Amino acid sequence: MPWYLYIALRHLFPQGRRFPVFTLMSLTGVILGVATLIVVISVFNGFGYEIRSKISDTFGDLRVVNGGLLGDPDGLAEILETKGSVDTAIPYAQGIVMMLYENKPLAPIVEGIDVRSDREVRKYGNYLIEGSMDEFDDDSILVSSGLAGQLGLSVGDEVEMYTPLMMLKLLESDGSDVLLPRHVRIGGIFQTGWQRVDENTVISTLRLMQDLYNLGVGAHGIRIELKPGFETEEEGRKIAESLGRPYYAQTWMDANGDYLSIIKLEKRMMFFLLFIIVIVASFSIMSSLLTFVIRKTREIGLFAAMGATPRQLAACFCLQGMIIGVAGTLLGIGLGRTLLYFRDDITSTLSSILSVSDSMNQIYGFAYLPARVQSGDLIVISLLSILIATLAGLVPAYKASKMNPVEALRSE
Amino acid sequence: MRRFKSGDEYIDVLRGVDICIKEGDTASIQGESGCGKSTLLNLMAGLDQADEGKIFWNSEEISRDSYQALAIKRSSLIGMVFQSYYLVPEIRALENVILGGRISGNTDNLAERSRSLLERVGLGSRMSSLPSTLSGGERQRVAIARAMISDPKVLLADEPTGNLDEASGDSIMDILQELCEEKQVSLILVTHSGKYAARMGRSWILRKGILEKKSAK
């Protein structure tokens, strides 16, 4: 071990003596900064992951469409299911209807799902907050929690549905036709945690949607779930190429790009805002090390008298910044991971102390605080924290290297 | 010559110094407080630079060498012992000695040589002690061992007994002389004590910036 590294370590962690306050304070700053960054970024990752999984759950990994009506959706779905990467391929139909309940109108988006697919039924079953999938048939619909709230709907209520097709027919008639709505029952109320879906969505059977839109056996597209390990964008491109025009594949990321980019942007902004803590900690390291250099002036003179070069003297103090950075980062990662491990206990304790209701569950539909520690984030946080702490040691190191050894030895 | 600025005035602290120390020589430099003894020692050690004149180490002029180059040469040629010991308080006695070897780059059998040197200076049982737990005499012995660990050619001792009582001072001087004799190291001793100066082979006295030969043994 080079002597300057040895001395740097001993200055920070002396033998047989109390832990120096300087080391403790500098370390604490870095530990808190790194731990806060890890906790916040991991919670952001967790939220992002949960929301992404909800989006991909409701949207599917891919949707194959042709810009119009698929005449033989079952045939196309069968072709798609022969592909190695495709787990399930299920026809769907989508459109807007006017829904009327006790003279209150709303125009939600209706998605017709194929109830022959167990997976589809199970998926929406998981999101039901009222009712049951057993109640879901061609005469009933599932409504999102937002929609149910706006219209005051409960399971078992009956609503009237008008499609644009019905209205067109009425306009084209000579006035003798009567517009008869389709009466459907509320089979369940669901909440996915994804606001876009929860706000204004109706799930019906594909048959009901085909009936409302007069699609026959047609559908608007095929929803694809990929097998694990396949890249969505890559597979989408391959599938579109294999089907040829006019088919194209839309990924769940394409369809929700704006929303996903906001999540990414928020994460980046939080990273930069919280990184200020580490920068503030680095100023504490710098000021402590500068004081330390002044306290150790005679020692610096001694090292010079013993043959230490200015670079070695600089390294001795610069390394102290780096060691604080490395130790603080490692301990910060440990603290951050511990806080994440006990995050639910901590949030529930805080909620009970502050008498705050479980708003997370109400707003986001999460019964727990989601968090995902990503190794990429850990590496970036660690490297930047160590770099900043090392840079903080540069000014004291420069001062030490520029000291006149004679004056340093004479200092009191 | 070494000139210092004091206010608007310049003071020539050293202005007539001509001294040559050969291998194995022992020499003392005496003088009143503030006469420039330590300045002379610092110039000899290459820690300070003369305003005029030349300094040679092993017949090689060092006056124009860079600070970095001087530091490298100094680490293998010169050992220094100070009145105030200057031990690193955070590390134990043995590690202070080892540190001297590490800085000089003389790391062969370093731990073993350091132990042996500490035993040689009578601190075999205090190797694991922190400097704060050692007496003044013991600290100076550690400092001597630290200076000798790099196998220097010259040992510059700046009032090494200045902070010690007579018995401890005598003991330190014995150790210094014995070690220098054993290892053929030239010893230059700056001291106020006539008794210790007399123990050196040659003696100089510094008066008003001029180094005068005092006597020959």
Side-chain angles (χ1 to χ4, degrees), chain B residues 111-127:
Chain B
E112 203 177 305
R113 285 193 296 119
S114 303
R115 272 192 206 96
S116 141
L117 258 173
L118 278 176
E119 272 166 15
R120 178 73 186 74
V121 298
L123 289 178
S125 59
R126 305 301 309 268
M127 290 190 200

Side-chain angles (χ1 to χ4, degrees), chain A residues 97-109:
Chain A
V97 295
M98 195 179 85
M99 188 185 273
L100 206 62
Y101 178 69
E102 291 177 347
N103 289 329
K104 281 186 279 182
L106 269 180
I109 294 166

Side-chain angles (χ1 to χ4, degrees), chain A residues 12-267:
Chain A
L12 293 171
F13 311 107
Q15 292 177 322
R17 299 170 82 193
R18 270 192 322 177
F19 213 54
V21 176
F22 145 70
T23 310
L24 203 64
M25 297 309 288
S26 303
L27 268 178
T28 307
V30 180
I31 291 169
L32 289 178
V34 169
T36 311
L37 262 171
I38 287 172
V39 168
V40 172
I41 296 300
S42 299
V43 168
F44 259 86
N45 287 339
F47 266 99
Y49 177 81
E50 291 292 335
I51 287 169
R52 275 195 292 269
S53 71
K54 282 169 196 292
I55 294 173
S56 70
D57 250 12
T58 49
F59 183 90
D61 289 329
L62 290 168
R63 287 187 176 195
V64 170
V65 290
N66 66 355
L69 189 68
L70 300 176
D72 180 17
D74 289 339
L76 182 60
E78 268 178 40
I79 294 169
L80 288 168
E81 280 192 335
T82 59
K83 301 197 180 295
S85 59
V86 175
D87 189 13
T88 55
I90 299 150
Y92 73 91
Q94 200 177 40
I96 295 172
V97 295
M98 195 179 85
M99 188 185 273
L100 206 62
Y101 178 69
E102 291 177 347
N103 289 329
K104 281 186 279 182
L106 269 180
I109 294 166
V110 184
E111 177 134 340
I113 62 165
D114 194 339
V115 284
R116 289 172 299 175
S117 159
D118 285 347
R119 185 172 175 158
E120 290 288 275
V121 173
R122 213 173 35 246
K123 190 161 70 186
Y124 283 98
N126 290 338
Y127 292 130
L128 279 185
I129 53 173
E130 256 185 71
S132 141
M133 288 307 278
D134 298 338
E135 304 289 317
F136 187 49
D137 54 28
D138 293 345
D139 293 316
S140 66
I141 54 170
L142 308 176
V143 293
S144 64
S145 54
L147 191 62
Q150 284 181 70
L151 292 179
L153 294 170
S154 304
V155 173
D157 289 343
E158 201 173 86
V159 294
E160 293 173 1
M161 286 173 98
Y162 299 87
T163 64
L165 201 68
M166 291 174 182
M167 293 177 193
L168 197 65
K169 270 187 184 170
L170 189 67
L171 283 172
E172 286 169 353
S173 74
D174 54 6
S176 59
D177 287 359
V178 179
L179 184 61
L180 291 174
R182 176 74 181 249
H183 289 265
V184 288
R185 193 169 23 84
I186 306 299
I189 298 170
F190 66 88
Q191 188 173 32
T192 62
W194 183 30
Q195 208 185 356
R196 262 192 199 182
V197 171
D198 291 344
E199 211 168 56
N200 198 27
T201 307
V202 169
I203 302 296
S204 74
T205 64
L206 179 62
R207 276 193 301 267
L208 174 60
M209 196 57 189
Q210 283 168 334
D211 202 17
L212 285 169
Y213 266 72
N214 203 17
L215 302 178
V217 294
H220 290 129
I222 310 291
R223 184 154 60 198
I224 293 172
E225 303 285 349
L226 294 173
K227 286 177 182 164
F230 286 96
E231 192 66 38
T232 312
E233 288 196 33
E234 175 70 10
E235 289 310 312
R237 194 181 49 78
K238 282 184 190 167
I239 288 168
E241 272 176 13
S242 71
L243 294 174
R245 283 178 183 272
Y247 296 103
Y248 62 93
Q250 194 182 26
T251 67
W252 62 271
M253 289 171 278
D254 296 336
N256 301 281
D258 52 345
Y259 193 75
L260 294 172
S261 67
I262 287 172
I263 295 177
K264 246 186 209 171
L265 184 71
E266 276 183 340
K267 181 184 161 184

